Each structure stands twice: as C-alpha cells, then as structure tokens.
Amino acid sequence: YAPGSPTGRSGAATSQTAGVGFSANVYLTNWEWYTVYDASDTVTGASNDAFDIEPGTISMLNGQRGVLFTLVTASAGATITASGSGYTANTSDAMTVVSGSPVKMQILVPGESALPGSAGGKSGGPTAQTAGASFNVTANLVDNYWNLVSGVPIVAIQTSDPNDTEPPSQSLIAGTRIFSVTLLTSSGSASVTASDVDGITPLYTAQGATVTVNPGIATKLLAIVPGETYAPGSPTGKIGTPTNAVQRSSFTVTVRAVDNYWNLVSTTPTVNLTTSDPGDSHPAPRALTGGTTDFPVTFMTGPGPWTITAADGGAVFASYVTPGITAVDGLAPGGIADLNAATAVSTEGGVTLTWTAPGDDGTTGTAAVYRVRFKTGGAIANDTDWAGATAFAPSTVPAGYGTIQSM
C-alpha cells in the first residue's frame, strides 16, 4: 500500500497457486489514495476468475479490510476488483496463477474442450463416432482444479470395446498428448479412459469419457445358425460352431444387414435364403425389419454337410455363406410288427421270413438296411441275447414303407 503515489500501491503482484487462498487488503481512500478511517461502508470483492472462491460482500472497518481470495484457474492475467456504491471501483495489477501439483488425468474426446477451474474441467459433450472410423482423444495431466500441469507420465488409452486395437502407451509431452482411437463395436456406447501406467509413485487418478458408437453403412449380410452367437465388431461377427441339424426338423436362421465390422444396420432389403441340401424347399424371401429377420430352415436329406446362403434380392449387399452343417437322422426306423416265420419248402431246415417293411422315420421313407440274427435253443428276448446271436447277411434290401417283403 502506497498512499499518495500515482496508483496507491507499489511493487508487483506475486504469483499465486490455483486453489491456495491468499489475503488481499481493501482500502476506502480519497483521490490521493489515503485511507478514509471513518468510513465503514460495505463493498464487493470479485475476480476475473469465473470459478474462484470470492469474499463477496465486505464490511469495511475504519476504511480497510483484509479479505481472502482463492483463485482456481491457472492464468497469466488474474485480477481482483473492489467496488461499492459511491466509490470508484479499483482493479489490482495482473497476477500469474500457476497450476497446483498434478493429481489426476483428464481425457478430452471429440466435442469436449478443456475448461480449467470448472467443476468438471471441460465443456461441451462427446459427439457420436462411427465404428471403424479413427478419432483423436487428448490426455492431460492436471491438478485438482483441472489446470494443465507439465509432466511426462506414461499414459495408456483403454476402451471398453473388446474388439478394437488400442493405441500404444506413450509419455505425455509437457503434460499432454493426442492419441488416435478406432472403435469397432457399435453397442450403444463405449468408454475411453486415460490411465497413468508408468508404475512410478504417485500414480495419477484415471479419467474416462463415454462415447456413442454408431454403425457404419450396411455393406453385407450375416447369417447366424444354431450353435453360433452374434458378436458385432469381432473378426467374423460371431462366435461358436454350428450344431448338427436334425433331418426334417425346422430350425431358425437369423439374418442381419451389417457394416464392415459386422455391426447391425437398420435397413430393409429383401433377402433370399437358400441351402445346398438338394431335398429341401427354400423359405420364401423376406424383407429385413430394422436390419434383421428370422428364417425357418428344414434339411430333408443328410448327412451333408449343407451350407446356407443369404443373398440380397437387390444385389446391393454382399451375400453370406454359412459353414457346413451336418444333418443327422433324428428319427428311428419304424418297428416290424408282423414278422412271420415258416418252414422253407425249397430248403431243408430253412426258414422263410415275411414282414411289412417299416419306414426310415417311423412310417415315412425307406429304411437303409436290414440286420438279421438267429439263435437256436431259445428266443432272442433282449439286447444281450441279440449280441450273442449268430449274424445272417440277408440279400433282401428294404423297400418303401408298407411293402410286404420276404427272405
């Protein structure tokens, strides 16, 4: 304080540290900067730091008062101003406010800007990204009030996308660094986190941001069969191995329109589904709804393996061919209920058997082969008896269901 001087003060304002309070003296003076000791009015103290802690209304005592200011935003031109009714306001010389000690990381994704001193340290909001398209994120080393601090910790950028390739860890340069990120999975949103990974104490607190990830444009079709699970963003768009199908039993095939990274895209092409089974009837074409639909498929013959092809009727999207699927015979042949044995006329000691041919699947189709065994000295009553009986190789081959056969 220098009453009578041109500015009422002498010297230069010293640097302050963000978040550390300091005392400032306020005086009520005449035009020559001499204190008016009988003045006890109220004045207001404020700074040009939008996020500081200010004293607000100041009750003066004998023309002067010491008050506490806490500036939180690093700046080369911080000032404080005292004003009051009936008095000419006065602003301090500019002060430098330096950052505090580093305590944490800050990450900025597209759409966000650093806003040091504020409660969250940034303004704006993350903009949506597209699967497979690279974007930049900025990692900053900051103090408690989100002011940039010069430092060189090794930082890793990690995401919640299980299919992306994350950028290599690198040291910050003067407390900051830009990293390139490419997310592959469109699953609503993904987190992107900046972490100190150098193992040197102190390890600075990590910070993450959430980014919406949209699919790219539809480029191809994907068919999922039983045994497989949809896995967008993965190298093949699915995990698992097809399970066997059962001949003449329907199963569901799910078809999706997807981008280059197998993410579902809402579009409505008409899809034709065909199989390599020569005996089946292909399902009717269907339009996708929201980019997907289910088809019923039934293999009529076996064992295959049979493939399934999903093709865009408009020839815009690339077709998809599934792995081969084995079609097993899931129904046992029908039983022979009318087996009759009679003494053979032409063969001494021989027996003539007659029966009605069963179907391959109950009463449907033609059985593949007959197995015949015989036993002397008793009936074949169970599996043990069958295993111990003598095998006979018949020349008769199965005929269609209901045919009377003999040997």
Side-chain angles (χ1 to χ4, degrees), residues 20-174:
V20 178
F22 64 92
S23 181
N25 294 318
V26 180
Y27 299 90
L28 296 177
T29 70
N30 59 20
W31 289 107
E32 284 77 31
W33 306 108
Y34 287 97
T35 302
V36 180
Y37 289 103
D38 59 354
S40 298
D41 296 321
T42 58
V43 299
T44 299
S47 81
N48 62 350
D49 183 346
F51 308 109
D52 70 341
I53 301 171
E54 300 175 345
T57 300
I58 304 167
S59 297
M60 304 299 289
L61 180 63
N62 296 326
Q64 57 186 311
R65 196 81 182 192
V67 293
L68 184 68
F69 281 85
T70 303
L71 305 179
V72 296
T73 307
S75 167
T79 60
I80 59 176
T81 298
S83 61
S85 178
Y87 296 93
T88 300
N90 183 254
T91 299
S92 71
D93 293 335
M95 296 174 285
T96 296
V97 180
V98 298
S99 302
S101 299
V103 296
K104 56 190 174 184
M105 301 303 306
Q106 178 188 56
I107 189 166
L108 301 173
V109 298
E112 296 181 325
S113 299
L115 190 60
S118 65
K122 56 176 102 172
S123 62
T127 55
Q129 302 300 311
T130 300
S134 298
F135 60 95
N136 290 335
V137 302
T138 301
N140 293 326
L141 179 62
V142 295
D143 65 12
N144 268 326
Y145 300 92
W146 305 104
N147 297 293
L148 184 67
V149 182
S150 183
V152 291
I154 298 174
V155 171
I157 301 297
Q158 299 158 322
T159 82
S160 60
D161 185 343
N163 301 303
D164 72 333
T165 300
E166 295 168 352
S169 301
Q170 297 187 73
S171 296
L172 301 187
I173 299 174

Side-chain angles (χ1 to χ4, degrees), residues 219-234:
T219 58
K220 54 190 174 182
L221 299 176
L222 172 68
I224 302 291
V225 300
E228 297 177 329
T229 301
Y230 181 45
S234 67

